[in-house]
Amino acid sequence: MSTSILQPLVGGETVVCDETVDLRGVDGVPVARVGVAPTLLLQLALRRVRGAAVPSEVFGRAGTLFAEAELAGESADEYRRRVVAATGLPYRVVGDGLHSVRNGLAQLEESNARQLPAPAPGVRWVPRGRTLGIVTPSNHVDPHLTWARALSLGYGVIVRPGTRDPFTPFRLAAALLAAGLPPHCLAVVPGDHQLGERLLDASDLGMVYGGPAAVNRWADHPRVLTRGPGRSTVLLDQHLSPDIVDALARSVAGDAGVRCANTSVIRTSGDPAEVADVLAARLDALPTLPADHPDAVLPSFSAEQAAQLRRTVAELEQAGFRRHSAADGPVPLPDGSCAARPVVLSTTDPGHPSVGTELPFPFVVVTPWSAADGLEPFGRTLALSVFSDDEQLPWPPSRSRRSGGSSSAGRRPGRAGRSCRTTAA
């Protein structure tokens, strides 16, 4: 795989920057050289980018091109392999994300219509601004549909790519422009953390994906939407059955366990150690394969990242958490990367401050819960899946709820259970 060069894109024109950084894969091999946009270039993009009314057909064509075509000299398969090399995401997960974005683009008009106010006399939708600045993630392809949606609503969009995955926004931008998006609608400006901060601060509206630091920095900003750790949780109030164990395993390890909708905490009315033993046995059976293997289901990390993740797990064990999984985190692979083996811990202290720790691979803590606790211990959680026959559970009135279906993580309730998804108000 040759090393590609990615330079900022403003108004359909590539801007060659003198300063570049080398992006290495999880195995240490260079994958790309990325231009670093200076502040002046960001200011130019902010002046030039503006929205437009774009026909929905453009997004449908862009989705097909994104998933299938050769763009900027790169085939769809070459793109997948480059993302896998740089991020450590399994080949299959990148492919699923690619096709998910294609399908999402094809359905943008329909999904927008469901979310905008229904046509009625005296009612019309008014955008809150003209430009969206977004700092995108590197943990999955799917979130990039978000900024494409903003384009479909008439916003001008400026993207600062994630440091591990600059490939997806450049490929999606190439697909959109080839499909007929007016060039002045979009800019892609790779850069450092400060550039992302300036972008969010200067745009009419902003969106940032990141860890706790990024979320805390922008959480109370009236114009910036944060997308950070989900701390997604399962409430298990039923006896374990094979179906429930399958559902728990999917909720923890589906999509390689990298998404904020993956479960990181299970609160159970049963014996936490028993639940953790059964779940660990199921997850320990997952294969250890390099991320570019077609059957890989676990993410890979560099040796340095892997060492940090193992230290975090060791610190939790030292803090009293009991490990039930065979591995304590990522294990070395022959190519120099490390495959992140699942980790299942338990604690008898449901109020331990480290309950809710979220790591970027299949990782979960099982802890006690009783009906007398209600839902208060769950706190802010992106996805709450409930396995219970108790119809009297005290749902918090201040949160939206969807029950009886599957969550965004694809988890499903047991036959007698319920599933719901809550979003913090």
Side-chain angles (χ1 to χ4, degrees), residues 3 37 112 127 262 294 310 312 322 421:
T3 301
N112 285 345
N262 285 111
R310 285 194 296 271
T312 301
R322 175 186 170 191
R421 180 183 181 190

Side-chain angles (χ1 to χ4, degrees), residues 196-222:
E197 296 269 301
R198 293 189 182 97
L199 171 62
L200 294 171
D201 196 48
S203 302
D204 292 342
L205 295 176
M207 180 178 290
V208 55
Y209 290 81
V215 169
N216 292 336
R217 164 74 174 84
W218 295 99
D220 297 323
H221 197 289

Side-chain angles (χ1 to χ4, degrees), residues 40-229:
L40 284 176
L41 184 59
L42 174 61
Q43 293 172 346
L44 176 68
L46 287 164
R47 284 200 304 270
R48 286 189 176 179
V49 168
R50 61 190 186 281
V54 183
S56 62
E57 294 79 11
V58 168
F59 297 97
R61 287 197 298 269
T64 301
L65 293 171
F66 178 68
E68 301 174 5
E70 180 174 315
L71 296 167
E74 184 179 69
S75 70
D77 189 60
E78 289 169 330
Y79 154 77
R80 286 174 68 174
R81 294 192 180 282
R82 217 176 289 279
V83 174
V84 169
T87 65
L89 286 172
Y91 184 78
R92 179 188 302 176
V93 172
V94 176
D96 289 346
L98 189 146
H99 292 109
S100 176
V101 170
R102 176 192 61 187
N103 296 338
L105 288 170
Q107 298 166 3
L108 267 185
E109 184 177 26
E110 178 185 348
S111 59
N112 285 345
R114 287 199 299 266
Q115 298 185 40
L116 293 174
V123 176
R124 66 188 180 98
W125 176 72
V126 179
R128 292 178 59 198
R130 296 184 303 171
T131 58
L132 172 73
I134 180 168
V135 177
T136 58
S138 297
N139 68 325
H140 207 279
V141 178
D142 257 5
H144 292 273
L145 186 61
T146 304
W147 58 264
R149 180 186 302 280
L151 289 167
S152 74
L153 293 171
Y155 281 86
V157 174
I158 303 172
V159 181
R160 201 227 73 177
T163 54
R164 303 300 306 173
D165 179 17
F167 309 102
T168 299
F170 275 107
R171 180 173 178 82
L172 185 51
L176 287 162
L177 293 171
L181 181 80
H184 62 73
C185 291
L186 179 62
V188 182
V189 287
D192 57 17
H193 174 75
Q194 287 72 26
L195 188 87
E197 296 269 301
R198 293 189 182 97
L199 171 62
L200 294 171
D201 196 48
S203 302
D204 292 342
L205 295 176
M207 180 178 290
V208 55
Y209 290 81
V215 169
N216 292 336
R217 164 74 174 84
W218 295 99
D220 297 323
H221 197 289
R223 295 184 291 102
V224 177
L225 186 63
T226 58
R227 289 287 183 264

Side-chain angles (χ1 to χ4, degrees), residues 215-416:
V215 169
N216 292 336
R217 164 74 174 84
W218 295 99
D220 297 323
H221 197 289
R223 295 184 291 102
V224 177
L225 186 63
T226 58
R227 289 287 183 264
R231 297 191 171 85
S232 296
T233 306
V234 163
L235 191 167
L236 178 59
D237 187 34
Q238 287 181 321
H239 294 296
L240 285 175
S241 67
D243 285 347
I244 289 179
V245 176
D246 285 345
L248 294 178
R250 283 196 302 271
S251 74
V252 174
D255 269 341
V258 300
R259 305 192 70 170
C260 55
N262 285 111
T263 295
S264 55
V265 180
I266 297 174
R267 296 185 183 270
T268 178
S269 57
D271 180 355
E274 178 186 350
V275 173
D277 277 337
V278 173
L279 181 58
R282 177 63 58 88
L283 295 177
D284 280 346
L286 296 176
T288 302
L289 296 168
D292 61 356
H293 192 286
D295 296 327
V297 293
L298 299 174
S300 293
F301 295 92
S302 69
E304 181 181 1
Q305 292 171 313
Q308 178 58 51
L309 292 170
R310 285 194 296 271
R311 281 196 294 272
T312 301
V313 173
E315 290 168 0
L316 291 170
E317 291 189 68
Q318 292 166 6
F321 286 67
R322 175 186 170 191
R323 176 160 58 89
H324 298 258
S325 49
D328 61 353
V331 297
L333 292 170
D335 68 356
S337 66
C338 297
R341 297 294 311 166
V343 171
V344 180
L345 305 178
S346 73
T347 175
T348 57
D349 179 4
H352 194 289
S354 293
V355 171
T357 298
E358 191 164 296
L359 299 178
F361 67 99
F363 170 87
V364 67
V365 173
V366 186
T367 190
W369 174 85
S370 73
D373 298 332
L375 296 185
E376 188 63 30
F378 294 84
R380 296 176 66 90
T381 176
L382 174 63
L384 170 59
S385 297
V386 178
F387 297 86
S388 176
D389 296 318
D390 184 358
E391 295 293 336
Q392 303 304 314
L393 280 175
W395 300 108
S398 63
R399 297 183 175 191
S400 62
R401 184 184 72 193
R402 185 177 66 192
S403 61
S406 59
S407 75
S408 62
R411 67 198 62 171
R412 292 179 297 194
R415 186 167 49 188

